[in-house]
Amino acid sequence: MTVLSGGPAVPQERRILTAIPGPRSQELMTRKKSVVADAIATVLPVFAARAGGGIVEDVDGNRLIDLGSGLGVTVVGNAAEAVVRRLSDQAAQFTHTAFSVTPYEGYVQVCEALADLTPGDHAKKSALFNSGAEAVENAVKAARVYTGRQAVVVFDHGYHGRTNLTMALTAKNMPFKHGFGPFAPEVYRVPLAYGYRWPTGPENAGPEAAAQAIDQITRQVGPRNVAAIIIEPLLGEGGVIEPAKGFLPALSRFAADNGIVFVADEIQSGFCRTGQWFACEDEGIVPDLITTAKGIAGGLPLAAVTGRAEIMDAAHAGGLGGTYGGNPIACAAALGAIETMKEMDLNARAKNIEAIMKPRLTAMAERFDVIGDVRGRGAMIAIELVKDRATKEPNPEAAAALAAACHQQGALVLVTGTYGNVIRFLPPLVIGEYLVNEGLDILHEALEARQ
Ligand code: PLP
């Protein structure tokens, strides 16, 4: 796999010149500590100088293999050529007018692209925002106005953001919710088909979890009170969990039968990440609304709610929006990112990354008992670490230690999961095949060193 679009000329090779962090990063970290809120934590204590393709270069000249894409954002790599060109051109024209004051074409073009790319051939409309959490909040607003109902159903292990409503929608307490309540009302959480941890086995997880979820909604909330069911078709922060087969179709059918707006939160899983434009396509789901962000704009802050025109049009004029939503530079970047995804066929590249990673990780799981599960699709892959394969007791200590060992060797991996025991890989889709393999070599060595 060659690197077709790497952005700035960052050599596509790992290079470790100093300890991680190096002296310049340490200096900057000292300055950070004195002026940046401690709650703004960092995965790695190295400061970036430039990035492109599959490499992040730090201020000490170390080059790290990027297996995290800045939290799943840089699907097209950092500073992809079409993104830089289009956003620079736009910045030279104007940076902002507020779409709700004097609109501009870029916003409309992004909404046209979203209508075209998202599943379903019904009439679709979009509204643009700045962050994923903002998109999810606005999906709830649209669903509530459209249905005249209030309740929102979400799932165990789900993650939807850190604003007040989205904290309520998010499952995990630490670090996302702890101490920040009270949370928004009318949010109900139901079971998820988490195959690896389903008591009667992964093959039963889909139908059994769907039956439990539907039963809980029916008994505890009442379907006619539910405005929206919101689910990530492939859960990210919860631990890269693919809901077991049958679960999503059952929930989507239940929503349709009961006049509930079915919302797919594709903020992490969308835009080629899983080898399809949207992860919900895997089981042929056509959501009523889709929320997107992250990969949509090549690193610029942009988010969207896209869906059935009648739902998106239900709110009164001025009811949705904000000062910066759909900023013209972010829209230009999105058009560049989408152009790159199509031209480079990044769906095929995501599948290629899966074809490299899954067999190698599976082989590691055969050798190292600490790996309880290997899962994910496309370039959204993870290993779940356990203390004991029989009990599946989570092993967050091993995840932290392995990630730290990888970081020291220059492979940027992320730890996630409800139990903090999942190492996830979200490489940019333009990364070179050899860098993916080298990252896996580093992980393998770190596992070996634990033996
Ligand atoms: N929804 C999902 C599925 C996410 O993965 C995230 C971020 O990780 C969000 C919502 C929140 O997005 P943001 O951090 O842009 O607010």
Side-chain angles (χ1 to χ4, degrees):
M1 194 198 287
T2 50
V3 179
L4 302 179
S5 170
V10 189
Q12 294 298 297
E13 58 194 34
R14 182 175 66 104
R15 179 173 79 174
I16 302 299
L17 298 178
T18 69
I20 304 280
R24 182 88 186 98
S25 277
Q26 284 181 36
E27 231 176 271
L28 285 166
M29 197 45 90
T30 306
R31 282 170 54 198
K32 172 192 176 280
K33 281 206 173 80
S34 63
V35 290
V36 178
D38 283 351
I40 307 292
T42 56
V43 172
L44 256 169
V46 301
F47 279 70
R50 53 184 188 154
I55 293 284
V56 175
E57 185 175 300
D58 75 12
V59 288
D60 292 289
N62 298 304
R63 295 196 191 118
L64 312 177
I65 300 173
D66 184 4
L67 299 174
S69 296
L71 300 177
V73 170
T74 51
V75 164
V76 296
N78 259 288
E81 187 278 328
V83 172
V84 175
R85 172 172 38 82
R86 284 181 181 253
L87 77 83
S88 311
D89 289 352
Q90 178 57 48
Q93 298 305 315
F94 61 93
T95 57
H96 173 82
T97 61
F99 190 74
S100 56
V101 179
T102 49
Y104 35 86
E105 189 178 354
Y107 190 117
V108 178
Q109 287 175 303
V110 171
C111 296
E112 285 167 348
L114 284 163
D116 184 41
L117 295 171
T118 51
D121 49 16
H122 49 280
K124 289 176 219 156
K125 291 197 174 184
S126 292
L128 304 184
F129 304 97
N130 304 293
S131 68
E134 211 189 336
V136 174
E137 292 241 359
N138 279 279
V140 171
K141 283 166 72 173
R144 281 181 170 158
V145 171
Y146 175 71
T147 57
R149 305 171 179 178
Q150 293 187 351
V152 179
V153 170
V154 287
F155 294 83
D156 285 339
H157 310 287
Y159 180 86
H160 302 287
R162 296 162 177 258
T163 56
N164 187 266
L165 175 56
T166 57
M167 277 193 293
L169 303 176
T170 288
K172 189 176 173 181
N173 174 49
M174 207 52 181
F176 306 126
K177 302 167 74 161
H178 184 73
F180 300 139
F183 303 112
E186 285 303 317
V187 172
Y188 301 89
R189 191 171 310 288
V190 296
L192 176 89
Y194 187 167
Y196 177 62
R197 293 190 175 276
W198 195 255
T200 56
E203 60 290 352
N204 301 317
E208 286 183 13
Q212 284 185 19
I214 288 168
D215 182 58
Q216 281 189 21
I217 297 168
T218 306
R219 283 185 300 102
Q220 296 177 18
V221 196
R224 277 182 297 150
N225 295 315
V226 180
I229 292 177
I230 307 181
I231 188 160
E232 299 158 81
L234 203 166
L235 284 79
E237 304 301 304
V240 188
I241 306 167
E242 289 181 86
K245 294 287 179 239
F247 186 73
L248 290 172
L251 266 298
S252 154
R253 254 191 324 271
F254 173 75
D257 291 345
N258 289 282
I260 298 168
V261 175
F262 188 79
V263 183
D265 181 347
E266 295 257 12
I267 285 163
Q268 191 162 145
S269 57
F271 284 104
C272 307
R273 173 58 65 191
T274 65
Q276 292 175 295
W277 280 100
F278 296 96
C280 61
E281 292 169 49
D282 190 56
E283 287 188 271
I285 306 289
V286 178
D288 299 310
L289 298 180
I290 297 193
T291 54
T292 52
K294 293 195 188 274
I296 189 175
L300 269 82
L302 187 73
V305 184
T306 301
R308 294 188 186 280
E310 63 275 21
I311 303 175
M312 294 303 294
D313 281 341
H316 46 277
L320 306 181
T323 304
Y324 294 111
N327 167 272
I329 298 177
C331 286
L335 295 171
I338 292 167
E339 178 187 319
T340 308
M341 291 174 207
K342 287 181 177 168
E343 275 183 5
M344 294 178 65
D345 192 1
L346 291 189
N347 281 321
R349 289 184 151 241
K351 288 189 180 129
N352 195 22
I353 288 170
E354 176 180 344
I356 296 167
M357 295 198 86
K358 276 269 192 76
R360 284 204 60 188
L361 291 169
T362 304
M364 287 184 219
E366 274 158 23
R367 187 164 153 74
F368 304 107
D369 284 351
V370 72
I371 301 178
D373 195 26
V374 177
R375 58 177 180 251
R377 293 203 302 270
M380 192 166 173
I381 303 283
I383 51 176
E384 174 156 359
L385 305 179
V386 291
K387 293 189 173 149
D388 175 336
R389 280 199 176 159
T391 64
K392 300 183 181 172
E393 186 187 342
N395 196 340
E397 298 83 10
L402 282 170
C406 289
H407 296 165
Q408 283 306 315
Q409 292 306 314
L412 202 173
V413 299
L414 302 170
V415 173
T416 192
T418 297
Y419 312 104
N421 66 330
V422 174
I423 295 186
R424 68 173 159 169
F425 309 93
L426 295 169
L429 306 187
V430 295
I431 193 171
E433 201 172 288
Y434 62 98
L435 288 175
V436 174
N437 273 311
E438 200 176 337
L440 292 172
D441 292 343
I442 291 169
L443 176 70
H444 193 280
E445 280 159 27
L447 284 159
E448 199 78 73
R450 285 185 78 251
Q451 292 288 85

